[in-house]
Amino acid sequence: MRSDQFRPPIILASTSSIRRQLLSRLNVPFDVISPEIDESPFERENAQTLSCRLAEQKAATISAQFPHALVIGSDQVVWIESEPHIFIGKPLTAARAYEQLRILSGKLVHFETAVNVQCQQLNINRTELIRFLVHFRNLSAVEIQRYVAFDQPFNSAGSIKAESLGISLFEAMHGEDFTALMGLPLIKLSQMLREVGWQVP
Ligand SMILES: Nc1nc2c(ncn2[C@H]2C[C@H](O)[C@@H](COP(=O)(O)OP(=O)(O)OP(=O)(O)O)O2)c(=O)[nH]1
């Protein structure tokens, strides 16, 4: 699509404040509408399939109501290298954040972040999955307590805010896009938006 053609309005299908902050970095106008979907995994569903399916479902829920809009959905699934069928969600409380970080201490942890962009009217529907790997340090109980009290990562899958003090919990990290670790892969999303005619930058 040429960049001077009709550009559908953008809707971010999310309840996540960090996703809203991240999308704002791309300097495109957008609205935010929360999708109410069941995020439970299917029987024997792996992390990559789950992440892509939920990102698509979130966007589809909003796209059905606004077929003319370009809807963005995203989902992140976190799992430990040694236990691929146990998914780590958002802790929601300090106690569960503390518990999660005790489990993640010293482990190799995968953050699978999918992003879906769809527009019914323009017959667009594309999903990309960006993987990010974090090797957590061996964390003491006191370090975990101090961290949880400081960052209060209750709405972050895996109980970390990597852009904040969470980075001090890492031994190493590997991935092509740090914003994918934070919850919305902006390098890939920028490319997807350009391909449907949005000028980013
Ligand atoms: N601030 C921050 N948030 C993170 C980080 N890593 C993950 N998150 C957040 C992004 C998402 O809001 C959340 C991952 O959970 P979900 O993918 O289920 O999204 P959530 O339910 O929060 O929002 P949504 O499904 O989009 O309405 O964790 C991080 O390093 N920093």
Side-chain angles (χ1 to χ4, degrees):
M1 177 195 298
R2 293 195 323 277
S3 57
D4 57 347
Q5 277 185 338
F6 162 70
R7 284 193 296 254
I10 297 173
I11 297 174
L12 174 64
S14 178
T15 60
S16 167
S17 57
I18 189 68
R19 287 198 167 117
R20 201 174 312 136
Q21 286 172 46
L22 287 166
L23 184 54
S24 303
R25 286 173 54 178
L26 298 188
N27 192 29
V28 293
F30 66 97
D31 289 309
V32 181
I33 302 178
S34 303
E36 301 299 329
I37 69 161
D38 173 3
E39 300 199 23
S40 316
F42 292 153
E43 187 82 20
R44 287 191 295 284
E45 188 169 30
N46 66 37
Q48 298 81 14
T49 308
L50 175 61
S51 183
C52 291
R53 178 173 65 82
L54 293 181
E56 289 159 14
Q57 214 174 316
K58 291 173 190 178
T61 301
I62 302 305
S63 182
Q65 302 166 50
F66 301 92
H68 64 289
L70 189 73
V71 184
I72 299 168
S74 184
D75 190 77
Q76 185 177 74
V77 177
V78 180
W79 57 281
I80 299 171
E81 175 93 357
S82 53
E83 301 171 69
H85 297 295
I86 296 175
F87 303 145
I88 312 270
K90 297 178 289 185
L92 304 181
T93 67
R96 283 171 57 188
Y98 177 83
E99 206 36 54
Q100 278 194 357
L101 290 171
R102 276 190 56 254
I103 294 167
L104 298 181
S105 172
K107 301 281 187 9
L108 208 49
V109 183
H110 295 256
F111 291 75
E112 310 279 6
T113 309
V115 58
N116 172 261
V117 171
Q118 60 180 275
C119 174
Q120 286 190 19
Q121 194 169 39
L122 297 176
N123 196 26
I124 293 167
N125 193 334
R126 188 169 148 202
T127 302
E128 294 286 346
L129 178 71
I130 307 298
R131 316 189 68 169
F132 210 95
L133 203 51
V134 172
H135 184 182
F136 279 80
R137 290 192 300 108
N138 290 316
L139 304 170
S140 69
V142 172
E143 282 183 307
I144 294 174
Q145 276 158 0
R146 275 203 305 266
Y147 174 69
V148 171
F150 179 83
D151 256 357
Q152 301 190 352
F154 309 142
N155 287 308
S156 301
S159 299
I160 50 134
K161 291 184 179 177
E163 76 283 7
S164 177
L165 190 56
I167 195 76
S168 69
L169 307 180
F170 298 175
E171 186 75 47
M173 58 183 185
H174 308 278
E176 63 188 48
D177 182 351
F178 185 66
T179 59
L181 175 57
M182 293 171 63
L184 190 67
L186 293 183
I187 293 177
K188 188 56 75 175
L189 180 54
S190 304
Q191 177 196 328
M192 294 163 90
L193 290 175
R194 281 191 293 273
E195 286 170 3
V196 294
W198 280 93
Q199 292 169 347
V200 184

